[in-house]
Amino acid sequence: MDAQSRGRADEIDPADQWVLNPRTGNYELQLGRSAAQQRVAPAPRRLRRPSSSTAAPAPAAPSPAVPKPRRGEGPPGGRRGGGRSRKGGGAPDRRKRLLAVTGGTLAFLLVGGGVGGYLYYEHLNGNLKVIDTGGAGGGFKKDQPINVLVIGTDKRSGKGNEGYGDAESVGHADTTILFHVSKDRSNATALSIPRDLITDIPACPTKIDGSVKEIPGTRGTRFNNSLGQEGRDPGCTMRTVKQLTGLDVDNFMMVDFNAVKNLSTAVGGVPVCLAKDVNDRDSKLNLKAGEHRLEGEQALAFVRTRHSFGNESDLDRIKTQQQFLGSMMREMKSKETLTSPKKFFSLAEAATKSLTVDQGLGSIGKLTALAGELKDINPKNVTFTTLPVVDNPAEPVNRKATVVVNSAQADPLLQMIRGDVSLTEVEKKEQAAKDAAEADAKGKQDALLQGNRAPAGDIRVDVYNGGGPPGSASTTLTWLQNSKGVYKAGNHGNASARLTATQLEYAPNQADQARALADMMGLPASALRPGAVDAAPRTPMKLTLGSDFKEPGTPLGAAAPQQAPEGVQRVEADKAVCAK
């Protein structure tokens, strides 16, 4: 139940309606006798384990949906009332595993801006708010790294939020976390982007009333203006993050103040630790030093507190928010939460009512498919970090309000994330096996560069821009023809898909051309994509420039650092840290 409906006489909490029938020994849904309560909802079909495909949403279920127990089984998460016990591999075990997958693994993603929960039932689709970002994201893919942008907006809409700052504000990108999931799904990095970072916001095609309007770009402005201001939607924040980090953003999730209040209440409170007494007049947080369990308004006050922690900057508030989110993640994955039917329904309602997503995540089925991709990540391999920044040198010393990127630390950190390098240690045995497999694959890939090279005049290639700077296909074509003598090259503009890494596709009988072009372009062996069938005469190879491409002649594919730069802030999601 959400905060607005709690307490009404005609509202029913399904978790409270399962009653043991002594005649059958089964749990049954028993509602009261009021007119509202006599509307007994039919049970939905049992859900199968989430599919790995993002294209197939879960089958529709009646609303409101309450799972109907099988004969001899208790309510979801509860104990059975009779009959012989079922050992190992039974339906209750399968249900608990699916519950853990959908709830626990989505918890971190959804909580990233203040939400989380168990997303099972198709009737919850109606709670989701969906925005068409106009092609800003390509959607997450199986067997590829996943980048989901979690946005917490400071929009003051909703009951009880009138007193927080500017009630008329359309909202900014107040809390922004880029959640990167490794290709092998063994680890994840949550990169916080400071709201006061000075950066450039690109031009953003935005759908307004069914038509597309392009909002002009802005140079040298706060990052948080990438959302809400001048009509910018989350797609513009996605484009800004891609330009800033060099990472393709697949999807976004956005929440507001109510998400923190409702989700922290639904989970039964979030444990936090204070290293000192806090009485903050701005956020209204008033707590003694020590451990506390916060929910509702107190939880929101905790994540909004700025002037009582650290050096009273937004950077220290980011650390506090990361600690809160890690704690909420642990709470949602706890046994007490995963086995509580009441928390199950409360979290499902609170999460979906708080969530705005792009079309690629616009259904419970798609969110569940994403959960299936994340189910094996251990919290100890989830690392929070913050994009390294320094005070803006353009501001007076006594009026430091904004920051700029600290390139010395940010560049290698972003290179690690783009290179899919974990910031935490994965299990040693798993890492050893992974390293061995990668070494074997690298050896086979490197062999592609061994052999003859074709003369420049014999190279035929079509150039596409799949993620490089605007105009990259044209500048590369000119460079190849004028500087390298590759006269049989053609410019084919933008590719149909966005690529993180540049790739060269060719047939076996074009291998000598591919090696020669790789030498000219500085392509690593990993960029080569040989086909299985020889090409016909005069058939060109296909070169698609990815987001790793900077300019012609600049080598690609330098090995990513294996260690984070010294001084980069980070904390693992399984660590409890006291705010100070």
Side-chain angles (χ1 to χ4, degrees):
M1 299 299 170
D2 62 20
Q4 285 72 36
S5 65
R6 188 179 291 111
R8 287 174 47 186
D10 60 346
E11 293 287 351
I12 300 172
D13 189 336
D16 293 330
Q17 309 303 314
W18 291 96
V19 179
L20 178 65
N21 186 331
R23 292 182 300 160
T24 64
N26 297 335
Y27 278 89
E28 298 175 358
L29 183 63
Q30 300 289 333
L31 303 182
R33 295 184 178 182
S34 68
Q37 291 174 332
Q38 288 176 2
R39 294 190 291 272
V40 181
R45 296 168 56 189
R46 288 175 61 87
L47 276 177
R48 294 189 290 272
R49 188 173 297 278
S51 168
S52 60
S53 170
T54 61
S63 174
V66 180
K68 182 178 180 180
R70 296 174 59 183
R71 182 176 181 84
E73 296 177 4
R79 299 181 61 184
R80 298 174 55 203
R84 290 183 295 177
S85 64
R86 187 188 303 267
K87 296 183 179 180
D93 289 336
R94 289 196 301 272
R95 186 189 301 115
K96 289 179 181 178
R97 285 197 298 271
L98 184 56
L99 178 64
V101 168
T102 309
T105 60
L106 265 182
F108 174 79
L109 265 180
L110 301 180
V111 174
V115 297
Y118 306 93
L119 306 175
Y120 273 143
Y121 302 109
E122 190 63 25
H123 83 277
L124 296 178
N125 278 331
N127 290 343
L128 291 171
K129 295 177 283 293
V130 183
I131 291 178
D132 184 348
T133 59
F140 74 90
K141 300 176 181 62
K142 189 176 180 64
D143 300 325
Q144 292 295 323
I146 297 174
N147 296 308
V148 177
L149 192 65
V150 184
I151 306 170
T153 174
D154 59 357
K155 188 174 183 180
R156 269 71 175 172
S157 61
K159 184 178 179 181
N161 297 325
E162 300 85 353
Y164 301 138
D166 182 6
E168 303 301 321
S169 173
V170 293
H172 303 75
D174 192 57
T175 298
T176 305
I177 298 176
L178 181 61
F179 187 59
H180 171 82
V181 183
S182 67
K183 181 178 179 179
D184 65 4
R185 309 298 188 252
S186 69
N187 63 86
T189 300
L191 178 71
S192 293
I193 301 176
R195 67 175 192 174
D196 296 325
L197 173 69
I198 296 299
T199 188
D200 295 338
I201 299 175
C204 301
T206 305
K207 282 196 173 183
I208 302 176
D209 297 328
S211 60
V212 178
K213 173 185 176 183
E214 181 160 301
I215 301 174
T218 304
R219 296 182 63 83
T221 187
R222 275 180 165 88
F223 171 81
N224 67 351
N225 289 328
S226 65
L227 176 69
Q229 311 311 299
E230 300 181 37
R232 296 186 177 104
D233 67 6
C236 192
T237 308
M238 295 170 74
R239 290 182 171 92
T240 304
V241 170
K242 173 180 169 55
Q243 179 175 277
L244 181 64
T245 65
L247 287 156
D248 289 322
V249 182
D250 301 310
N251 303 96
F252 85 87
M253 297 178 176
M254 183 172 69
V255 295
D256 58 18
F257 286 162
N258 285 326
V260 179
K261 295 191 291 186
N262 294 345
L263 264 296
S264 60
T265 299
V267 80
V270 176
V272 301
C273 174
L274 298 177
K276 62 181 181 180
D277 295 349
V278 171
N279 188 359
D280 192 288
R281 65 179 183 180
D282 292 327
S283 70
K284 307 299 190 295
L285 183 68
N286 187 353
L287 294 173
K288 295 292 184 182
E291 297 181 355
H292 301 271
R293 182 173 285 270
L294 306 183
E295 61 181 72
E297 293 290 346
Q298 272 197 322
L300 180 59
F302 182 83
V303 299
R304 291 185 65 241
T305 296
R306 174 173 180 170
H307 299 297
S308 296
F309 299 130
N311 62 8
E312 302 186 18
S313 70
D314 185 56
L315 298 179
D316 280 289
R317 178 165 59 177
I318 286 175
K319 295 177 184 177
T320 303
Q321 291 171 344
Q322 291 174 346
Q323 294 160 15
F324 181 86
L325 300 177
S327 182
M328 183 176 276
M329 178 184 179
R330 295 191 299 273
E331 193 68 15
M332 287 185 169
K333 290 176 71 69
S334 69
K335 179 180 178 181
E336 289 74 15
T337 299
L338 294 177
T339 58
S340 169
K342 186 171 183 63
K343 287 185 179 181
F344 166 81
F345 285 101
S346 296
L347 283 167
E349 291 296 328
T352 52
K353 286 181 179 178
S354 301
L355 195 60
T356 300
V357 297
D358 62 276
Q359 289 179 312
L361 294 178
S363 71
I364 302 304
K366 292 176 181 178
L367 286 169
T368 302
L370 177 59
E373 293 295 308
L374 310 181
K375 61 183 174 61
D376 293 327
I377 301 178
N378 191 310
K380 70 180 180 181
N381 293 329
V382 176
T383 305
F384 289 99
T385 188
T386 303
L387 183 70
V389 294
V390 294
D391 288 337
N392 186 355
E395 290 182 335
V397 175
N398 61 343
R399 295 184 57 190
K400 295 296 184 183
T402 60
V403 294
V404 296
V405 171
N406 179 356
S407 297
Q409 290 185 332
D411 289 350
L413 175 62
L414 292 174
Q415 192 177 0
M416 287 182 69
I417 299 175
R418 290 194 295 265
D420 217 18
V421 178
S422 174
L423 295 186
T424 58
E425 291 187 11
V426 295
E427 293 290 343
K428 291 184 178 180
K429 292 183 179 179
E430 295 176 359
Q431 186 63 48
K434 176 183 175 183
D435 290 344
E438 289 180 349
D440 182 60
K442 186 177 185 302
K444 294 178 180 178
Q445 194 72 31
D446 288 345
L448 297 176
L449 290 175
Q450 305 301 315
N452 297 327
R453 268 69 172 166
D458 292 344
I459 298 175
R460 295 179 182 271
V461 61
D462 289 338
V463 183
Y464 296 79
N465 187 5
S472 291
S474 177
T475 56
T476 298
L477 174 65
T478 300
W479 180 80
L480 285 172
Q481 292 180 337
N482 296 342
S483 300
K484 296 297 179 180
V486 181
Y487 305 115
K488 300 173 183 176
N491 171 16
H492 284 255
N494 292 331
S496 58
R498 309 286 289 179
L499 298 179
T500 301
T502 298
Q503 66 179 31
L504 175 62
E505 300 172 74
Y506 62 95
N509 60 337
Q510 296 172 322
D512 56 345
Q513 297 182 50
R515 296 186 195 105
L517 186 63
D519 291 345
M520 297 176 189
M521 296 287 299
L523 301 180
S526 58
L528 274 56
R529 299 287 190 275
V533 180
D534 284 348
R538 300 185 179 181
T539 299
M541 301 181 293
K542 181 179 179 181
L543 174 66
T544 305
L545 307 174
S547 57
D548 60 343
F549 179 82
K550 303 304 178 186
E551 60 182 3
T554 301
L556 280 70
Q562 298 301 301
Q563 297 290 333
E566 185 176 352
V568 169
Q569 176 265 334
R570 56 180 177 173
V571 62
E572 285 74 38
D574 66 332
K575 301 289 193 304
V577 182
C578 289
K580 56 184 179 180

